[in-house]
Every structure is written in structure tokens, then in C-alpha cells.
């Protein structure tokens, strides 16, 4: 996930969980004809305030949209003088989620959950043609368009250096936003390949030959059989080199 995107989510979550600066106290609500509508409207305003006020400086320019779902029609809520919104544990104001509402001052205290959808519209790279699994990615495979960043849990990828030359980890289709998890580094050698082993420790560095016991992917661990028969694990540096720290 891009750093600014992560900061935005964390900031909003802290803001909501602490109730900072929002002074939220819904007026008295009971089971009257317009109470459900009032409760939903008040919740909508509170959420919009939380989302718009929680954007830190320098964050990706996203156009936030908050959609509050409907209350369960079977609910019968007792009158309440103070309703406190809160984020249930393990949830966040991003994508499809829920908001807790609890009565803290009333004849009968109650606690309900509202379905909420938070959308974050902004520029992103989308796939402009079907790509098969294992195919390399290039600039020709994408185009810029506005998408909902919060539609999928995978973080939107904007840094070209992180994905160009990588390969698709699954089939990708036209219109999908490019997200983390959709690509991976390419394989640079196969199991059984002869490779150069760079062994290094404090104050020394030794090179020798070895045989890869598994496929090599740059930046990933691989098992290597040394000339003396010893089996060690190192990290793939390039198509011919594996580094082992001793």
C-alpha cells in the first residue's frame, strides 16, 4: 500500500475511534415516524466530517464518498438522549464496512450496527487489455483512469518502478485497477541451474559455484547445493548470483 494511502486510513481510524474534534451527540431519538431518517442523516454527516477532516497533508488527492445503508426494519429503538458512534474492532472507514451506534443516555440502552460504504475516487492505472498469468507487464498494458481505491482490499499501485518488468500473478482483465498482489518478480533461473554463490560475513566475502535446488526469483530465498555437498539457503541477487550471509 502506498505510504500516503496507509496514513490516510490510519488517521481516519484513530480519529473515529477517539471521537476527536467531532463532538458527536445526536439529539434525542425515539421510534417515531422520522427518527430513522434523522438518525441516518446525522450518521451521514458525522461520517462525511470524519472522512473529510481526516485527510493528512500530502495525501493522494482522493474524492471521498460516504454511503450509509438502511437500518433493519425490524428494529424498535427506545428513545435516547445521546447516541455515540464508534468503529467496531477490526473495522475501518474504507470500502464496505459498518459503524456502531450505541445509546449511552436512555431508558433502555441499545447498540446497533449500520452498513457503510466509503468510496475513494482518484486516478489510478488500469489494465487496458487482457493479460495472461505469467506475462510480463509494461507501460503499454495500462492507461490512467479514475477508480474507487477502496473497492478492493489490495492497495492501488502508482509507482511505475514497482511493477514494470514484473509478471502477472494471475489473469488480468480490461478495466481492473493495478493493485498489489496482481504481479510478482519474474523467475530468473530454474531448479538445477549452475549459479554463482556469494558468501559474505563480517570483514570477508567469498565466491564459489553451486547448484540451485529450486527456481530463482530476484529478492526471494532459494536453496543451493554447494560443491562440497552442503545445502544452504540464500537470496537471489540476479540471474546468476545467490547471496548467502554467514
Amino acid at each position: 500500500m502506498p505510504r500516503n494511502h496507509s496514513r490516510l486510513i490510519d488517521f481516519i481510524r484513530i480519529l473515529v475511534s477517539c471521537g476527536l474534534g467531532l463532538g458527536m451527540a445526536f439529539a434525542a431519538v425515539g421510534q417515531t415516524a422520522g427518527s430513522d431518517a434523522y438518525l441516518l442523516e446525522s450518521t451521514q454527516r458525522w461520517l462525511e466530517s470524519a472522512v473529510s477532516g481526516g485527510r493528512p497533508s500530502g495525501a493522494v488527492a482522493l474524492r471521498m464518498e460516504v454511503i450509509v445503508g438502511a437500518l433493519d426494519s425490524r428494529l424498535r429503538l427506545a428513545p435516547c438522549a445521546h447516541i455515540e458512534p464508534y468503529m467496531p474492532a477490526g473495522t475501518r472507514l474504507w470500502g464496505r464496512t459498518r459503524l456502531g451506534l450505541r445509546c449511552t443516555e436512555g431508558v433502555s440502552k441499545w447498540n446497533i450496527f449500520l452498513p457503510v460504504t466509503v468510496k475513494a475516487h482518484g486516478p489510478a492505472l488500469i489494465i487496458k487489455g487482457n493479460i495472461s498469468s505469467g506475462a510480463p507487464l509494461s507501460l503499454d498494458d495500462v492507461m490512467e483512469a479514475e477508480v474507487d481505491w477502496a473497492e478492493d482490499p489490495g492497495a492501488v499501485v502508482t509507482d511505475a518502478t514497482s511493477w514494470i518488468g514484473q509478471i502477472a500473478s494471475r489473469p488480468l482483465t480490461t478495466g481492473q485497477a493495478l493493485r498489489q498482489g496482481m504481479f510478482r518478480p519474474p523467475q530468473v533461473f530454474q531448479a538445477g541451474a549452475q549459479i554463482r554463490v556469494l558468501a559474505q560475513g563480517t570483514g570477508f566475502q567469498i565466491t564459489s559455484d553451486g547448484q540451485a535446488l529450486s527456481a530463482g526469483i530476484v529478492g526471494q530465498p532459494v536453496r543451493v547445493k554447494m560443491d562440497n555437498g552442503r545445502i544452504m539457503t540464500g537470496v537471489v541477487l540476479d540471474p546468476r548470483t545467490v547471496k548467502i550471509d554467514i
Side-chain angles (χ1 to χ4, degrees):
M1 177 180 296
R3 181 182 178 185
N4 287 333
H5 185 194
S6 177
R7 288 175 57 206
L8 172 62
I9 294 175
D10 293 342
F11 190 88
I12 290 175
R13 185 174 181 181
I14 293 171
L15 183 68
V16 174
S17 64
C18 298
L20 297 178
L22 296 177
M24 183 59 187
F26 294 154
V29 173
Q31 195 65 34
T32 62
S35 62
D36 285 1
Y38 174 80
L39 184 60
L40 293 177
E41 290 172 5
S42 300
T43 303
Q44 178 87 33
R45 290 194 299 270
W46 184 84
L47 284 167
E48 289 175 351
S49 177
V51 170
S52 62
R55 189 191 306 277
S57 60
V60 176
L62 300 176
R63 177 170 54 84
M64 309 302 292
E65 178 185 1
V66 178
I67 302 172
V68 177
L71 285 169
D72 189 327
S73 60
R74 297 168 296 180
L75 287 175
R76 292 295 180 266
L77 303 178
C80 185
H82 187 282
I83 300 173
E84 178 182 87
Y86 68 95
M87 291 298 297
T91 63
R92 60 183 185 180
L93 284 177
W94 197 256
R96 293 183 181 275
T97 184
R98 61 177 184 162
L99 180 72
L101 297 173
R102 55 192 169 207
C103 175
T104 59
E105 294 180 18
V107 176
S108 177
K109 294 183 180 180
W110 43 261
N111 184 79
I112 61 174
F113 297 99
L114 271 176
V116 173
T117 301
V118 177
K119 297 185 176 183
H121 303 284
L125 297 175
I126 65 170
I127 304 299
K128 65 178 183 181
N130 294 338
I131 300 174
S132 59
S133 178
L137 300 177
S138 71
L139 283 174
D140 292 334
D141 294 317
V142 300
M143 61 183 292
E144 188 171 293
E146 183 175 88
V147 302
D148 176 11
W149 284 42
E151 184 178 27
D152 187 275
V156 169
V157 176
T158 58
D159 182 7
T161 61
S162 67
W163 62 270
I164 290 180
Q166 305 285 294
I167 62 174
S169 56
R170 62 178 184 267
L172 305 179
T173 57
T174 302
Q176 283 185 294
L178 190 61
R179 298 175 183 268
Q180 289 182 5
M182 289 184 171
F183 52 85
R184 57 181 172 80
Q187 178 180 311
V188 292
F189 56 74
Q190 297 180 341
Q194 293 298 312
I195 47 89
R196 183 172 68 101
V197 178
L198 174 64
Q200 64 180 27
T202 303
F204 72 90
Q205 181 172 293
I206 302 172
T207 59
S208 61
D209 294 328
Q211 182 182 39
L213 297 181
S214 56
I217 296 174
V218 174
Q220 300 297 313
V222 64
R223 297 173 69 239
V224 176
K225 183 177 181 180
M226 308 298 290
D227 284 344
N228 60 7
R230 185 179 179 185
I231 295 177
M232 303 185 72
T233 299
V235 175
V236 180
L237 293 184
D238 58 46
R240 291 196 63 254
T241 310
V242 171
K243 183 182 75 170
I244 296 176
D245 292 324
I246 299 177

